[in-house]
Amino acid sequence: MASETDKTLKELFTLANKVGNRRYHRLTQQDFDDYRSFDYWRYINGDSECGTTEASRTWVRDNSDRHCPICGEQYSHSNGRSIDHKLPRAQYPWLSLDFRNLWVICYQCNQEKGERHWYEYEHYIFTRHPERYEDIVFARPRHLLKSLRQG
Ligand SMILES: [Zn+2]
């Protein structure tokens, strides 16, 4: 089976961008609703960007342990947890509430990642924090990319 993972990251993202651009021009009412719902689901409370609704708090608890998957720091030592979109919400608004696109990382790492596209992000990590590169590749949103291609 020729899996998506055999492709180079660049090829994958060229494809994802192409599909993404096409999809972006066909946003539905549901997409806009999901985009707004995320803010409510996550509910930004003070300086904590972690889930503060019952549902999101539970989700965060079930989908993270005590350490940030990027830097390996304990959340309690790095300003706490935050929910991040692997593929940025601004570019992929229809993935706002797609849980395959969400992960929990520390606040510091979230600030650093910012609105970077995943592809740019891997490059950034590769050049700035090569010791973290393997973990980032592990977290690559493969299924999401695959579904983008089929969508
Ligand atoms: Zn971190």
Side-chain angles (χ1 to χ4, degrees):
M1 179 179 108
S3 89
E4 296 305 308
T5 52
D6 295 337
K7 294 203 162 120
T8 67
L9 184 64
K10 191 166 184 191
E11 284 176 316
L12 269 178
F13 268 101
T14 304
L15 203 58
N17 276 335
K18 216 164 89 188
V19 176
N21 278 332
R22 220 161 41 218
R23 180 69 174 79
Y24 194 87
H25 292 291
R26 290 197 317 246
L27 293 179
T28 64
Q29 189 56 46
Q30 185 63 50
D31 295 332
F32 287 110
D33 291 348
D34 285 351
Y35 188 84
R36 279 189 296 264
S37 298
F38 178 78
D39 281 331
Y40 175 74
W41 184 78
R42 175 183 62 175
Y43 190 61
I44 300 167
N45 182 18
D47 39 338
S48 162
E49 281 195 52
C50 206
T52 46
T53 63
E54 189 61 40
S56 56
R57 211 181 285 135
T58 304
W59 185 84
V60 166
R61 206 175 45 227
D62 292 347
N63 289 278
S64 63
D65 56 23
R66 292 202 318 222
H67 301 85
C68 171
I70 301 177
C71 65
E73 274 290 325
Q74 287 192 24
Y75 293 116
S76 50
H77 296 163
S78 48
N79 285 344
R81 292 182 250 214
S82 67
I83 302 170
D84 180 58
H85 289 91
K86 292 185 175 182
L87 302 184
R89 193 157 70 120
Q91 290 174 55
Y92 297 87
W94 64 95
L95 299 176
S96 300
L97 273 176
D98 188 322
F99 291 101
R100 293 170 304 177
N101 194 31
L102 304 181
W103 64 335
V104 179
I105 60 181
C106 81
Y107 184 74
Q108 228 89 299
C109 285
N110 198 350
Q111 293 291 101
E112 196 178 0
K113 179 169 175 284
E115 285 296 302
R116 274 195 192 87
H117 204 288
W118 188 269
Y119 176 55
E120 295 161 358
Y121 184 57
E122 281 198 20
H123 273 270
Y124 174 82
I125 292 292
F126 183 72
T127 53
R128 298 286 192 84
H129 307 286
E131 75 284 0
R132 298 180 190 169
Y133 185 63
E134 209 176 306
D135 293 331
I136 298 305
V137 170
F138 182 74
R140 186 182 293 171
R142 293 188 175 82
H143 295 296
L144 205 53
L145 288 167
K146 196 172 177 186
S147 74
L148 272 181
R149 191 186 174 202
Q150 290 163 347

